Amino acid sequence: MNFDPSHSKRSFSSVGTRPIRPDGVDKVTGRARYGADFNMPGQLVGRILRSPHAHAIIRKIDTTKAAQLPGVKAVLTAADLPDLTNGDAAMYDILDNCMARKKALYDGHAVAAVAAIDARTAKQALKLIEVEYELLPHVTDVDQAFAPDAPLINDTIFTTGVDPKPDRPSNVSMRSQFGHGDVDAGMARADFVVERTFKTEQTHQGYIEPHACVASVSSDGTADLWVCTQGHFVYRQHCAQLLGMDVSKLRVTSSEIGGGFGGKTHVWAEPVALALSRKAGRPVKLVMTRDEVFRASGPTSATSIDVKIGALKDGTIIAADATLRYSCGPYAGAWAEVGAMTAFACYKLENVRTVGYEVLVNRPKTAAYRAPSAPMAAFAVESAIDELAKKVGMDPVDFRIRNAAQEGTNASYGPIYGPIGIGPTLEAVKDHPHMKAPLGKNQGRGMACGFWFNFGGQTCTDLNIGMDGTVSLAVGTVDVGGSRASLSLVAAEELGIDYSQVRAVIADTSSLGYNDMTDGSRGTFSSSMATISAARNAIKILRERAAQMWDIPVEDVTWENGHAVAKGETHGNLPKLSLKEIAAASGTTGGPIAGHSEIVADGAGVSFATHICDIEVDPETGATKVLRYTVVQDAGKAVHPTYVEGQYQGGAAQGIGWALNEEYIYGKDGRLQNAGFLDYRIPVCSDLPMIDTQILEIPNPNHPYGVRGVGETSIVPPLAAVANAVSNAVGVRMLHIPMSPPRILAALDA
């Protein structure tokens, strides 16, 4: 059945309501099963030996003593994971990150693993593994690594995106550039110019649940993997390729997920667990410690960003320029490219240029963190925008409104915008009571805008109608933020039945067609589109069955509010048939009734938000307190408004922590100094005010209900909004994130 994804105005009965979450009771009572809650008979305990050095050649690994220890059933090194990547550089990097092959590239890099009968034996075995290292110079700072004389991390990396192609390797894996117009000429015309350099430190997603999995490989080559992940289909693809398995022989089941935020979009230990199980012939359970999560799984990039923006006297931005250096760990990435794309996306600019540099450092392989790369770029740009508005003599909101992108704007990264929400969010902020509230001594108010692309991707969904009229919805996008409730609402809306009659489940990889990772704010957008398509396919069958029961042409049957309705003068007197009645008769009218859909959900619709922050700063200690925070964001259509508000609040809370407290601290030896929540401080309830939200709905023209992704944009403005508030409170422009008390005091002293 052809599916038209275009938006059409309609009224809703289920979508837009706030039913209770279907997973709530299990989660608050402890019944929900997360990654570490699954067990198999005869399972072994897996543990990984990690490098204590930031950069070192692995000269020799002797596992003899460990293998001879009673209770040890398998010992693994890179020799047990042969290179099967067939020249795929990205897959080779994943393989090398899972188990170091020639060099340890960061503190925490895996070098060996064991599987034993219990945790005590496994830990003892790790101590018996002898590794001979040859230490190499290391570099952990993005600016130092960018320098031409920096220690070389990977001699196979030659900078791409430059002409001519370099003949020497370097730590810069890629240069990317976006923009249009003549920036230099535009800057020459500017009446006011702001030029600054900003830095942000590396942060972790801060999910509470550590990475965990149970792997079981049978003697016939089939395997099962139970894992906490944001994308079990992608995990299946990667693990199968790295281990030389047929994809069809590996079944991956996603557990409940205790937070991911992009950090569970990459495989880290899962291929190792599968390899240990294959070698030992028994299931292996592998759970990372918190120390391992910090030292060995992906944080976000550290950045160094130069921004220069020029404006005319009337407040029009005439030119904008940014150079962005993003760390990517010891492997090539594309984080600076994304930062360069998002930097000026909120604005209508005649002349704009962004250049991104991907920089290798001796730190863990970088991973996504909720709108990856965009918060750092927004911090730099929105800070400079605020400063420029003051130079021009305009209110910062009015200055942004004057320059905001709109429908038809040529975006700084290339495309032409359709209907977008940046203007409406700014107008809403201008009229919001928060902007008019008085401030006290040592208090400041800041605001900032943010942008994210959103993504659709490959999606597959099954909708099965039981003979009692209830509906089972099987989806392949992992529920990281409430999508099961939202998708149940969508199915109920399409079928015309009550929400309580629908149960959504996350199917394993052997029960459903391929689904892309739950990232890019795609979960509800893409799976709701597939659910609508599947429901409409089911309705087609329901109409056919009703026509059969009435013995009339199917063309004379319509579907209205959960019922088949006969139309026309000949059949108009026939009583309606409910979904439940049609389902009850399915055994005699052709068998089970189901709707299936497989789509590539295009047209995700870009997302914009504007945030307001009030903060108080103690000028003697540099301590900060967030007094009030407001999020205004375009959702397209809020399927479950409570979940949408929760996404807004969660992103803001994480952004506040990033802005004020959170950072990886490395010593001169290249080792991480704060690998735990005691020293890496994320916000707790007492650190935050109640975060106010305002949902705007500018429909996405490429979704039947107008839905846009909402999960990521909310983390983009906070760094800048908080920085602008702190800068206004202390009267000094803050250039370095996080704005910890020592940095605030240093800025005041300077």
Side-chain angles (χ1 to χ4, degrees):
M1 177 178 175
N2 292 327
F3 176 65
D4 180 8
S6 58
H7 174 253
S8 58
K9 290 185 178 180
R10 57 175 293 173
S11 58
F12 295 97
S13 56
S14 294
V15 166
T17 62
R18 300 173 182 257
I20 61 170
R21 55 189 300 162
D23 55 337
V25 172
D26 282 356
K27 286 183 174 177
V28 299
T29 58
R31 292 184 61 190
R33 292 207 299 173
Y34 293 87
D37 293 329
F38 187 74
N39 296 288
M40 295 186 72
Q43 75 182 19
L44 303 171
V45 175
R47 287 287 187 272
I48 295 177
L49 180 68
R50 301 188 179 278
S51 167
H53 306 296
H55 195 196
I57 297 172
I58 301 171
R59 288 298 182 194
K60 182 181 179 183
I61 301 180
D62 188 346
T63 62
T64 306
K65 294 178 182 177
Q68 292 173 347
L69 182 70
V72 172
K73 302 300 180 182
V75 181
L76 200 74
T77 66
D80 299 289
L81 290 168
D83 179 10
L84 305 175
T85 59
N86 296 318
D88 185 330
M91 287 304 299
Y92 181 84
D93 287 349
I94 294 172
L95 175 66
D96 188 73
N97 190 53
C98 287
M99 190 66 66
R101 310 187 75 73
K102 300 173 183 176
K103 293 200 299 182
L105 295 171
Y106 56 91
D107 167 38
H109 198 168
V111 295
V114 301
I117 56 173
D118 55 35
R120 182 179 179 182
T121 305
K123 290 178 182 177
Q124 188 178 353
L126 292 185
K127 294 178 181 178
L128 295 175
I129 297 174
E130 299 173 358
V131 186
E132 182 183 322
Y133 296 100
E134 179 185 331
L135 300 189
L136 298 172
H138 63 269
V139 58
T140 58
D141 178 80
V142 63
D143 284 325
Q144 293 174 9
F146 187 73
D149 59 349
L152 186 64
I153 295 171
N154 188 335
D155 60 11
T156 67
I157 294 292
F158 292 79
T159 308
T160 61
V162 294
D163 190 25
K165 182 180 178 181
D167 55 8
R168 294 176 56 193
S170 80
N171 291 334
V172 179
S173 66
M174 180 171 65
R175 180 191 185 275
S176 52
Q177 182 170 335
F178 300 90
H180 52 256
D182 188 332
V183 171
D184 297 330
M187 209 68 75
R189 292 173 52 201
D191 297 307
F192 303 96
V193 174
V194 166
E195 186 171 8
R196 292 282 197 179
T197 295
F198 300 87
K199 288 202 74 162
T200 69
E201 297 299 331
Q202 193 166 50
T203 53
H204 198 270
Q205 299 86 352
Y207 38 81
I208 302 302
E209 179 198 24
H211 297 273
C213 65
V214 178
S216 179
V217 181
S218 300
S219 57
D220 62 358
T222 59
D224 279 277
L225 180 68
W226 166 280
V227 62
C228 56
T229 172
Q230 290 177 239
H232 47 318
F233 288 88
V234 175
Y235 275 41
R236 178 186 66 173
Q237 295 288 112
H238 287 178
C239 289
Q241 184 174 347
L242 293 178
L243 295 171
M245 301 175 64
D246 293 338
V247 167
S248 62
K249 290 185 176 181
L250 175 58
R251 180 176 63 175
V252 182
T253 304
S254 64
S255 68
E256 290 288 351
I257 184 168
F261 316 111
K264 292 176 182 172
T265 58
H266 301 248
V267 295
W268 307 104
E270 295 77 15
V272 175
L274 283 162
L276 284 169
S277 175
R278 182 166 63 183
K279 192 170 184 179
R282 288 167 61 175
V284 172
K285 183 173 185 175
L286 205 161
V287 181
M288 279 192 179
T289 63
R290 184 65 58 190
D291 178 88
E292 288 180 297
V293 168
F294 274 99
R295 291 172 61 217
S297 69
T300 189
S301 300
T303 72
S304 173
I305 302 173
D306 305 325
V307 175
K308 185 177 182 180
I309 309 176
L312 302 176
K313 291 177 181 177
D314 66 358
T316 302
I317 297 176
I318 191 65
D321 197 6
T323 300
L324 308 96
R325 296 166 293 276
Y326 278 61
S327 68
C328 56
Y331 304 102
W335 310 107
E337 181 180 33
V338 176
M341 294 172 75
T342 63
F344 293 109
C346 292
Y347 299 104
K348 177 178 60 180
L349 302 170
E350 182 181 339
N351 305 292
V352 58
R353 177 176 59 211
T354 57
V355 179
Y357 292 99
E358 205 73 32
V359 186
L360 274 67
V361 292
N362 292 117
R363 295 190 181 207
K365 178 180 168 66
T366 299
Y369 181 12
R370 207 171 190 161
S373 303
M376 306 83 122
F379 160 61
V381 168
E382 291 293 305
S383 295
I385 289 278
D386 231 48
E387 196 169 356
L388 187 57
K390 289 177 182 173
K391 275 196 171 187
V392 174
M394 287 183 69
D395 175 85
V397 180
D398 290 334
F399 185 68
R400 287 172 170 86
I401 289 172
R402 181 175 186 84
N403 293 286
Q406 54 196 265
E407 185 172 359
T409 292
N410 183 7
S412 58
Y413 64 98
I416 305 297
Y417 286 138
I420 57 174
I422 181 62
T425 66
L426 282 163
E427 295 289 352
V429 160
K430 183 177 180 179
D431 296 335
H432 199 282
H434 186 166
M435 288 300 288
K436 302 175 178 65
L439 290 169
K441 185 179 179 182
N442 298 322
Q443 294 177 0
R445 174 170 298 138
M447 54 81 56
C449 301
F451 158 88
W452 187 243
F453 311 95
N454 291 332
F455 168 61
Q458 300 177 78
T459 312
C460 183
T461 297
D462 275 338
L463 186 149
N464 295 284
I465 300 174
M467 293 186 71
D468 62 353
T470 59
V471 174
S472 174
L473 182 67
V475 300
T477 45
V478 175
D479 183 356
V480 299
S483 61
R484 278 172 292 189
S486 298
L487 298 176
S488 296
L489 285 170
V490 169
E493 186 72 50
E494 283 294 316
L495 295 171
I497 60 177
D498 189 76
Y499 166 81
S500 63
Q501 299 300 297
V502 183
R503 180 171 184 257
V505 297
I506 312 301
D508 66 58
T509 58
S510 294
S511 303
L512 199 63
Y514 180 84
N515 282 259
D516 279 326
M517 185 77 64
T518 302
D519 60 4
S521 297
R522 68 174 296 271
T524 297
F525 168 78
S526 63
S527 279
S528 66
M529 194 180 289
T531 297
I532 292 168
S533 174
R536 292 178 182 177
N537 289 338
I539 288 170
K540 181 175 182 289
I541 298 171
L542 288 163
R543 288 175 51 238
E544 291 170 351
R545 299 297 178 86
Q548 184 179 339
M549 292 167 72
W550 282 326
D551 194 21
I552 66 174
V554 69
E555 293 79 13
D556 292 340
V557 181
T558 63
W559 191 260
E560 300 175 8
N561 300 317
H563 293 78
V565 180
K567 294 292 186 181
E569 296 180 5
T570 310
H571 318 304
N573 60 342
L574 290 171
K576 296 186 291 186
L577 286 172
S578 69
L579 181 148
K580 187 173 183 179
E581 291 171 317
I582 299 169
S586 61
T588 59
T589 60
I593 300 173
H596 183 74
S597 176
E598 57 279 316
I599 62 173
V600 177
D602 292 324
V606 295
S607 175
F608 293 91
T610 304
H611 292 196
I612 319 167
C613 174
D614 290 357
I615 204 159
E616 183 172 293
V617 182
D618 185 331
E620 294 186 3
T621 65
T624 55
K625 181 174 183 176
V626 180
L627 305 172
R628 186 173 181 180
Y629 202 98
T630 300
V631 176
V632 181
Q633 185 174 322
D634 170 25
K637 175 62 185 177
V639 177
H640 193 304
T642 302
Y643 273 121
V644 172
E645 291 164 351
Q647 291 294 316
Y648 291 3
Q649 292 165 330
Q654 288 178 312
I656 291 168
W658 192 342
L660 295 175
N661 298 315
E662 298 178 40
E663 66 176 309
Y664 272 37
I665 299 172
Y666 277 85
K668 291 182 179 180
D669 59 358
R671 301 199 67 187
L672 184 61
Q673 303 295 301
N674 59 333
F677 283 137
L678 181 64
D679 297 311
Y680 181 96
R681 191 172 181 279
I682 62 174
V684 295
C685 290
S686 58
D687 295 318
L688 300 169
M690 177 55 70
I691 295 170
D692 297 323
T693 61
Q694 183 176 346
I695 299 172
L696 302 185
E697 294 186 327
I698 294 89
N700 174 11
N702 302 308
H703 186 283
Y705 296 175
V707 169
R708 299 178 191 267
V710 300
E712 293 176 281
T713 313
S714 50
I715 203 174
V716 181
L719 276 65
V722 175
N724 288 334
V726 171
S727 298
N728 291 332
V730 301
V732 177
R733 174 53 53 187
M734 299 302 298
L735 305 172
H736 197 160
I737 293 287
M739 294 169 290
S740 56
R743 287 206 179 101
I744 291 175
L745 291 177
L748 286 170
D749 290 342

